[in-house]
Amino acid sequence: MHDQHHVRRRRTHQHQNHSAILNSISWYLLLSACFFLWGAYNSLHSSSPDNHYDTEQTQLVSRYSVAYYQSYGFFDDISTDEWQRLRSIAKSSGMISAPRTSFDPHYDGNDDDDTFWNAMPSNFFYGNNYDPNFSCRSEVRVGGLGDGPKYVCDPHRIPRAATLNWRMLEGSDSEKRRCLVYSIGCGGNFRFEVGLQELLGSNRCEIHVFDGNDYSATVPKHMDIHFHNWGLRRDRGPNTNDDYSPDENMAFPLSRSLDSMKYRSLSQTMKILGHTGEVMDILKIDCEGCEWKSAMDWLGESSVPPPRQVLIEVHRSPAPFARNWFDEMKKFGYVIFHKEPNLPGCPRGDCIEYGFLKLHPDFYS
């Protein structure tokens, strides 16, 4: 009897041990299953398309952030390594090697308006100074060959960069905005403006053309090109009402037939057209010499934001304005991406075509 009781007790103890072991195994399996499911959920969640896209975007922004920042969003696909190489080239390229006084025997140090154009020979000045110090991957000559068309830095970037401009303006619907182009001086030649619209597509840019002579009858029809019959002069203050005087030393003397031309400053023009405070994506200028003194109207403390690209023909090399002019452009972050003489228009080398791109001043530091 005692032996039977001992056997029953041992079986009960074994059964309890087996139950405890089974319970432990069950809990272990349950916990393992929970950890497995939790890990699977996290793995699935972390590899979801949205999360993967966010991670990818963060890496892209980090990789291209320096170029993006220093180009005001114009370049969004240039790596930091490549951008640093571009900076190194720009900073090491000599902007000036032969100052005006070293080769001009006629320069007497008198820089008042009477000697404004005492800067010949210009071909020596531009042959020794201010070459391109920046390269654009997809630089395009817009408008064909010959006089009038211009080289543009990566025009395919312009519409998207223009939208970014508008995002920075309070209360602006950036999705409905287009890039803004001002073309000062055309001489009846609209090849650049037509070429730009054909390249970017209709309704991508708002294009305004200005000239003291009336070419309104020859503006290409059915295109978003607006002609205005006045020329450009420097800003002489808000109280100046004399709009019929250029108040500039022009590179070439004005004929009597042009004395009645009307001139307005850049800030006046933008106010009239409702563009005050807006960023011009392209400012194209061929104003026969007004560039030397009107440049400060889009630099420094001007009410006109610096344009993204300045496509300009400079005339002769007036001292000291020429050197000061280039120095100011560099001071405000402009790089030279293109340079060529306009030999058909100025066979002596007095007219040079330049392409400038606006970058942050930090680019040169």
Side-chain angles (χ1 to χ4, degrees):
M1 190 74 181
H2 176 75
D3 291 340
Q4 291 178 352
H5 176 74
H6 180 72
V7 169
R8 283 199 302 270
R9 201 168 74 178
R10 187 173 58 185
R11 287 176 178 172
T12 302
H13 180 71
Q14 289 175 344
H15 178 74
Q16 290 174 343
N17 286 341
H18 290 161
S19 298
I21 292 171
L22 288 174
N23 286 337
S24 298
I25 293 174
S26 299
W27 276 108
Y28 175 79
L29 291 175
L30 181 61
L31 288 173
S32 297
C34 289
F35 279 118
F36 174 79
L37 293 173
W38 176 252
Y41 170 79
N42 281 338
S43 176
L44 196 63
H45 182 265
S46 63
S47 60
S48 66
D50 290 340
N51 209 354
H52 181 70
Y53 175 79
D54 290 341
T55 302
E56 204 171 59
Q57 287 297 103
T58 301
Q59 292 172 346
L60 287 174
V61 169
S62 177
R63 185 182 179 190
Y64 306 126
S65 59
V66 178
Y68 189 86
Y69 164 73
Q70 292 189 344
S71 68
Y72 300 96
F74 191 72
F75 297 110
D76 60 355
D77 56 359
I78 297 182
S79 69
T80 298
D81 288 343
E82 182 180 353
W83 190 252
Q84 296 298 3
R85 285 195 294 271
L86 290 171
R87 291 183 67 194
S88 178
I89 292 170
K91 290 189 288 185
S92 63
S93 300
M95 293 290 283
I96 186 164
S97 63
R100 162 75 175 71
T101 54
S102 69
F103 55 80
D104 185 0
H106 304 292
Y107 181 61
D108 58 5
N110 184 1
D111 296 323
D112 60 28
D113 285 352
D114 292 336
T115 60
F116 185 77
W117 293 110
N118 181 17
M120 293 298 290
S122 298
N123 54 340
F124 286 106
F125 180 82
Y126 293 111
N128 286 280
N129 304 300
Y130 302 111
D131 283 341
N133 62 344
F134 188 86
S135 299
C136 298
R137 288 175 173 174
S138 303
E139 180 182 324
V140 178
R141 185 176 181 86
V142 177
L145 302 177
D147 190 16
K150 304 286 184 182
Y151 278 92
V152 179
C153 177
D154 294 13
H156 67 283
R157 303 181 188 273
I158 292 177
R160 186 198 57 77
T163 302
L164 183 64
N165 288 344
W166 287 109
R167 288 192 188 125
M168 294 186 286
L169 295 179
E170 185 177 353
S172 173
D173 185 354
S174 62
E175 298 304 321
K176 296 181 180 180
R177 298 293 188 170
R178 299 175 295 166
C179 63
L180 181 62
V181 178
Y182 273 23
S183 181
I184 312 293
C186 69
N189 184 338
F190 296 93
R191 293 168 61 194
F192 170 79
E193 294 76 21
V194 171
L196 186 65
Q197 190 169 117
E198 290 177 345
L199 179 65
L200 298 181
S202 59
N203 298 320
R204 302 301 296 272
C205 286
E206 183 180 347
I207 302 174
H208 295 267
V209 183
F210 307 85
D211 201 289
N213 288 312
D214 190 359
Y215 297 106
S216 56
T218 61
V219 178
K221 307 301 180 185
H222 311 298
M223 302 192 81
D224 193 11
I225 299 174
H226 311 276
F227 179 80
H228 309 279
N229 187 201
W230 66 78
L232 177 69
R233 63 164 172 81
R234 66 179 175 182
D235 193 341
R236 295 174 298 176
N239 298 322
T240 302
N241 296 318
D242 180 14
D243 291 332
Y244 287 91
S245 170
D247 192 30
E248 307 295 339
N249 286 289
M250 309 300 283
F252 306 102
L254 295 175
S255 65
R256 290 184 179 181
S257 62
L258 302 181
D259 288 344
S260 61
M261 276 188 177
K262 191 165 188 175
Y263 298 86
R264 292 190 171 112
S265 69
L266 202 54
S267 59
Q268 284 179 314
T269 296
M270 297 187 80
K271 183 177 180 180
I272 291 170
L273 299 180
H275 297 145
T276 299
E278 298 179 13
V279 179
M280 281 179 283
D281 294 274
I282 293 179
L283 174 60
K284 170 181 168 284
I285 301 182
D286 184 3
C287 59
E288 308 303 332
C290 78
E291 64 270 9
W292 299 116
K293 291 186 177 180
S294 63
M296 293 310 297
D297 290 351
W298 69 79
L299 295 174
E301 300 300 323
S302 170
S303 61
V304 178
R308 280 188 177 273
Q309 295 192 46
V310 178
L311 315 179
I312 190 167
E313 181 176 273
V314 296
H315 302 81
R316 303 191 183 177
S317 54
F321 294 96
R323 181 170 182 173
N324 293 343
W325 190 91
F326 281 98
D327 288 346
E328 288 295 313
M329 292 292 284
K330 181 179 180 181
K331 174 184 174 183
F332 285 95
Y334 282 96
V335 292
I336 302 172
F337 70 85
H338 187 82
K339 173 187 179 182
E340 64 174 323
N342 179 5
L343 295 178
C346 304
R348 294 189 303 173
D350 290 340
C351 308
I352 309 295
E353 301 277 1
Y354 274 100
F356 290 91
L357 176 68
K358 177 73 172 77
L359 300 177
H360 196 281
D362 286 353
F363 180 79
Y364 282 114
S365 63

